[in-house]
Amino acid sequence: MSLLIKGGRVVTATDDYFADVLVEGEKVTQIGATLDVRADRVIDAKGKLVIPGGIDAHTHMDMPFGGTTSADDFESGTIAAAHGGTTTIVDFAIQSKGESTLKGLDVWHKKADGKATIDYGFHMIVTDMPDERLPEMDRLANEGVTSYKLFMAYPGVLYVDDGTLYRTFRRAGENGTRICMHAENGIVIDEIVKGAVADGKLAPKYHALTRPTRMEAEGVHRAIAIAEVANVPLYIVHLSSSDALEEVKRGRMRGVDVIAETCPQYLFLDQSYYERENFEGAKYVMTPALREKWNQDVLWTGLKLGHLANVATDHCPFCMTGQKELGKEDFRKIPNGAPGVENRLSLMYQGCVVEKRMSLNRWVELTSTAAAKTFGLFPKKGTVAVGSDADIVVFNPDRKETISVKNEFTHHMRVDYSTYEGFQVQGFSEVVVSRGRVVVDQGKLTTSGGGRFIARARHGELLR
Ligand code: URP
Ligand code: ZN
Ligand code: ZN
């Protein structure tokens, strides 16, 4: 099967030019000003951007959490991702406490295998790491699981102590792999929560009011200090506040190998959403919580100046009916997380390019290339280049949509609300190609399945 994408404006993290792109099989094989070649299908990309497929480095499909399971599995979640122009996700496999991480990986392979429509990799969530289990980390790295997530939050669930952090960080560093950190002081936060509950404060808004930004900043500071001593590259996930960003900047100024991700929810939404009536605030119960609005400008500036390196969604959807409502009487029982995997490219195009904060190149970098380079997928993924996988989006920079659970072009996630309901965005992924297959065409799914596990390279190595 061959595909000729004709006359588009090819935009990568570094380049911007008009060209034809030829795809043969799974790869890009030629790029030229005008290619005089035959192809099984020609796509007219005049007036459109031709960009690398989005990479969302932070999703939770089919994840047991908060007494229930995230509403999208690898089938529905990757179809929704594809509709939004994302062609690779890096999801999280979970180690059950006291059990092998390799067993956890196996469970997640079974969840995804044969179901995914786009390619995927796994980070490994470590919930305990005694010395005798450390050799498992060598095996994980050999199998292409080259990053870990550890939690300072959620005591009694995913939380690990500082000793576990240090042991895991050290081995990860020795193996040329990366640590992803959920940095929030969950122990102190739980004390604050106890106090709120004792005072009868049980509404959704108390989720945010019991999680001060200073406790996020403390977690970031501690993670950076431990990573510095353990000598491992660090990636702070879902950074939400100015206080936390200050700690990242400080660490980077000192020369520590730390970078950070933020998410569209922290750029577009704020703490006032928790005030919504009729339990609507539960839609936004996620961790870290939404912050006071002024933080948004600081995060946008952080992205512009490079203090923040990547934008992922932390897609972790729970339906209002049957899931979020578990916490109707007590915010602690609201499953934490919100949907977003489908909306990232359009939201970020709106925020970066339409609203003139950043260049087209930076938008591509933040939605694709940075994740590829950070997580061992580049140059197989994350760019449009000869020899790279043909993960390509033909993006209409002029098309406007209103994001809504009711809009057939913006909502394929298996969840009964949209985090960005009513948001108007300009820029839409019209044709989405995953390893040479057209998976979405003018908003319609054209094929499903066919996504593959991608064994990722180690830190600083290329993946071909
Ligand atoms: O609220 C969130 N973020 N749920 C998913 C788990 C996590 O901490 O990433
Ligand atoms: Zn987290
Ligand atoms: Zn997450």
Side-chain angles (χ1 to χ4, degrees):
M1 178 74 187
S2 58
L3 205 58
L4 181 62
I5 303 172
K6 249 200 132 20
R9 179 174 172 185
V10 179
V11 182
T12 67
T14 47
D15 296 312
D16 187 344
Y17 55 96
F18 290 89
D20 298 345
V21 177
L22 180 67
V23 172
E24 290 174 292
E26 299 186 351
K27 302 276 182 193
V28 173
T29 54
Q30 287 188 55
I31 301 176
T34 24
L35 293 180
D36 189 14
V37 289
R38 284 182 169 282
D40 298 321
R41 179 168 171 196
V42 178
I43 295 172
D44 179 8
K46 213 166 285 148
K48 311 284 163 67
L49 307 179
V50 177
I51 56 171
I55 301 176
D56 191 338
H58 189 155
T59 64
H60 301 277
M61 309 299 177
D62 202 358
M63 182 205 192
F65 198 49
T68 181
T69 300
S70 59
D72 272 315
D73 62 11
F74 280 85
E75 185 180 359
S76 63
T78 58
I79 287 172
H83 276 283
T86 286
T87 53
T88 307
I89 57 170
V90 190
D91 206 272
F92 295 84
I94 304 181
Q95 172 198 25
S96 296
K97 216 165 243 164
E99 292 184 9
S100 160
T101 54
L102 300 165
K103 191 170 158 199
L105 178 61
D106 216 40
V107 170
W108 257 261
H109 273 307
K110 289 198 176 93
K111 285 176 189 267
D113 190 27
K115 282 190 147 188
T117 288
I118 57 169
D119 291 347
Y120 57 93
F122 293 122
H123 313 280
M124 172 56 64
I125 289 178
V126 167
T127 55
D128 77 34
M129 188 52 68
D131 285 336
E132 58 274 18
R133 224 178 254 304
L134 287 167
E136 287 177 14
M137 294 178 65
D138 312 346
R139 292 238 339 245
L140 288 169
N142 289 336
E143 291 183 22
V145 177
T146 54
S147 48
Y148 297 86
K149 184 178 178 189
L150 293 99
F151 292 78
M152 292 168 165
Y154 312 128
V157 188
L158 297 169
Y159 167 89
V160 292
D161 62 23
D162 289 356
T164 305
L165 292 182
Y166 179 68
R167 271 193 306 284
T168 311
F169 279 31
R170 274 199 51 178
R171 192 65 155 231
E174 283 162 13
N175 280 339
T177 57
R178 182 180 287 279
I179 293 293
C180 303
M181 195 69 227
H182 182 134
E184 267 187 308
N185 190 323
I187 300 290
V188 171
I189 286 167
D190 266 14
E191 291 299 317
I192 302 171
V193 168
K194 258 200 274 173
V197 171
D199 291 343
K201 296 172 172 167
L202 296 167
K205 68 176 178 187
Y206 292 107
H207 174 73
L209 296 176
T210 53
R211 311 184 84 88
T213 55
R214 187 50 54 200
M215 288 299 102
E216 185 184 21
E218 188 280 329
V220 171
H221 177 88
R222 184 157 34 107
I224 291 173
I226 298 171
E228 184 177 6
V229 173
N231 197 21
V232 66
L234 180 65
Y235 178 89
I236 305 293
V237 295
H238 49 46
L239 186 139
S240 69
S241 66
S242 170
D243 285 343
L245 183 55
E246 280 306 310
E247 296 297 337
V248 171
K249 286 198 233 170
R250 215 166 277 148
R252 288 173 63 77
M253 290 283 282
R254 211 162 65 233
V256 183
D257 187 350
V258 54
I259 57 174
E261 148 199 298
T262 190
C263 311
Q265 54 268 38
Y266 304 118
L267 295 164
F268 289 92
L269 311 177
D270 66 79
Q271 202 169 299
S272 68
Y273 282 68
Y274 294 114
E275 301 288 348
R276 298 192 167 187
E277 288 180 350
N278 300 322
F279 195 58
E280 293 275 301
K283 292 177 176 172
Y284 312 98
V285 168
M286 60 186 76
T287 304
L290 299 177
R291 305 305 193 182
E292 288 175 14
K293 195 168 173 57
W294 62 269
N295 286 274
Q296 293 174 1
D297 281 344
V298 179
L299 298 181
W300 280 114
T301 304
L303 288 170
K304 182 173 173 176
L305 299 181
H307 301 309
L308 287 167
N310 192 29
V311 177
T313 59
D314 193 7
H315 176 78
C316 191
F318 297 103
C319 292
M320 285 296 277
T321 302
Q323 297 194 297
K324 290 284 188 182
E325 68 184 11
L326 293 169
K328 199 129 202 182
E329 310 301 329
D330 181 344
F331 72 88
R332 292 173 299 175
K333 298 190 180 134
I334 301 170
N336 287 197
V341 74
E342 188 167 350
N343 307 124
R344 188 179 60 119
L345 262 68
S346 290
L347 283 167
M348 291 308 296
Y349 186 79
Q350 173 71 33
C352 291
V353 182
V354 178
E355 293 174 13
K356 297 189 181 352
R357 290 187 179 91
M358 280 165 254
S359 67
L360 274 173
N361 299 112
R362 182 67 177 150
W363 166 63
V364 170
E365 188 170 26
L366 289 173
T367 51
S368 179
T369 317
K373 290 187 172 171
T374 302
F375 291 110
L377 291 162
F378 190 82
K380 182 177 174 65
K381 311 282 190 193
T383 192
V384 178
V386 170
S388 292
D389 279 2
D391 290 356
I392 296 174
V393 174
V394 178
F395 191 86
N396 183 341
D398 302 316
R399 179 162 159 180
K400 294 181 178 153
E401 289 289 342
T402 301
I403 297 176
S404 170
V405 71
K406 295 199 196 99
N407 183 342
E408 61 174 319
F409 293 110
T410 66
H411 197 96
H412 299 82
M413 299 168 281
R414 196 196 282 155
V415 58
D416 59 4
Y417 74 96
S418 170
T419 311
Y420 304 99
E421 185 68 38
F423 271 68
Q424 299 210 345
V425 285
Q426 183 179 324
F428 182 74
S429 301
E430 284 188 340
V431 182
V432 181
V433 181
S434 168
R435 256 187 306 98
R437 299 163 305 140
V438 175
V439 291
V440 171
D441 197 351
Q442 306 303 327
K444 299 270 176 274
L445 187 74
T446 46
T447 180
S448 61
R452 268 191 217 143
F453 171 70
I454 305 293
R456 293 178 291 118
R458 290 168 202 251
H459 184 54
E461 291 178 5
L462 298 179
L463 186 72
R464 303 270 179 202

